[in-house]
Amino acid sequence: MARHPAFAPHEIERQRQQMLSGLRVSLEDPEYIAKRGVRRLVYGFHPYGMPENRHRPRLSPASPGTILLAFHARYFIPNKRHPCDRRRYHRRGSVCGGEKVFADWMQHDLPSQTFIEPPDATRRVIVINKPDAVQTEVRVGHLGIPRRHPDYMAVNLAIRILGGEGSNRLHQILRTERGLTYGAQANMDTLKEAGDFVRKPIRDRKPPAKS
């Protein structure tokens, strides 16, 4: 399975249909739409800004096996760790059975990848109309820092105070004190190449009950 996967056509088709079904459900979720929209605005055409599942997944029924086999040959390689640990299995004369299968599995260099830079920061307002939504999802986003940035711990602490779990400052001011929103929080994603800061107030679209 590790070296020579079958990629049976009926299993591929089953997974493809599950992906399409999940995407249809997600596109009815205002939170999913808002999250996908703000990431595209922050990162542009950088891979971080592209949705994991597109409107029409590229896994077409015509030749999915060929695509998967090419991906497997390119990335499934034993560069980090050999599946047979000689030091463990050669004690007391025992032999690692997996050696017969994996001994000739050769390492090779992974192809290097280069990506475009995220766009420069600018002010843009995007409205996505979804009349059947019972709540309005609002996002305010900006480029952040990568995970290895020296200020990661300090920035992470500040974001948690501003909009983290529990009684954060955004929630206290926007909901508790002023009653402007159903809830509010702030998150920080720190990835390998870059990161983002996002604030998320949520507003009810129903009018307040009359007292």
Side-chain angles (χ1 to χ4, degrees):
M1 292 177 62
R3 297 192 60 183
H4 307 290
F7 293 129
H10 68 279
E11 289 291 339
I12 294 176
E13 179 61 19
R14 181 174 64 85
Q15 291 292 329
R16 193 179 74 89
Q17 292 299 330
Q18 287 183 359
M19 290 173 60
L20 291 172
S21 177
L23 181 58
R24 284 192 291 267
V25 172
S26 296
L27 290 176
E28 294 299 321
D29 181 10
E31 183 177 3
Y32 172 86
I33 296 174
K35 178 180 178 180
R36 195 165 84 163
V38 74
R39 290 182 71 88
R40 182 60 178 271
L41 291 174
V42 170
Y43 292 111
F45 288 96
H46 187 279
Y48 292 160
M50 307 302 289
E52 296 178 1
N53 293 328
R54 299 171 184 268
H55 288 288
R56 295 180 180 178
R58 291 184 176 180
L59 191 60
S60 65
S63 58
T66 303
I67 298 172
L68 293 175
L69 285 171
F71 183 89
H72 178 272
R74 187 178 189 181
Y75 293 106
F76 279 69
I77 53 178
N79 280 15
K80 294 296 185 180
R81 178 181 299 176
H82 198 281
C84 177
D85 188 341
R86 292 174 178 268
R87 293 174 297 178
R88 177 180 179 185
Y89 291 102
H90 279 203
R91 296 173 183 173
R92 298 182 182 180
S94 62
V95 179
C96 175
E99 187 170 301
K100 297 179 180 180
V101 179
F102 298 111
D104 62 340
W105 195 8
M106 303 302 295
Q107 301 179 4
H108 63 78
D109 294 333
L110 285 171
S112 60
Q113 293 180 300
T114 57
F115 306 110
I116 64 173
E117 293 293 325
D120 294 333
T122 185
R123 292 185 178 183
R124 288 175 289 181
V125 178
I126 302 297
V127 178
I128 301 176
N129 186 29
K130 197 175 191 317
D132 59 336
V134 297
Q135 290 180 329
T136 299
E137 296 277 344
V138 181
R139 297 291 187 275
V140 180
H142 197 282
L143 277 176
I145 59 175
R147 179 63 178 83
R148 294 180 179 272
H149 195 281
D151 292 333
Y152 168 79
M153 293 302 297
V155 175
N156 184 47
L157 178 61
I159 289 291
R160 291 180 180 275
I161 294 173
L162 174 67
E165 302 86 350
S167 183
N168 60 71
R169 293 184 180 179
L170 285 175
H171 189 88
Q172 288 180 349
I173 295 174
L174 295 180
R175 173 172 175 159
T176 305
E177 296 180 11
R178 303 183 63 183
L180 298 176
T181 179
Y182 176 77
Q185 62 184 120
N187 292 329
M188 174 180 70
D189 284 332
T190 51
L191 307 171
K192 182 178 180 180
E193 302 291 337
D196 60 80
F197 305 114
V198 178
R199 289 182 291 173
K200 303 190 296 184
I202 303 171
R203 297 190 61 186
D204 276 317
R205 300 187 73 172
K206 298 179 180 179
K210 295 181 179 180
S211 57

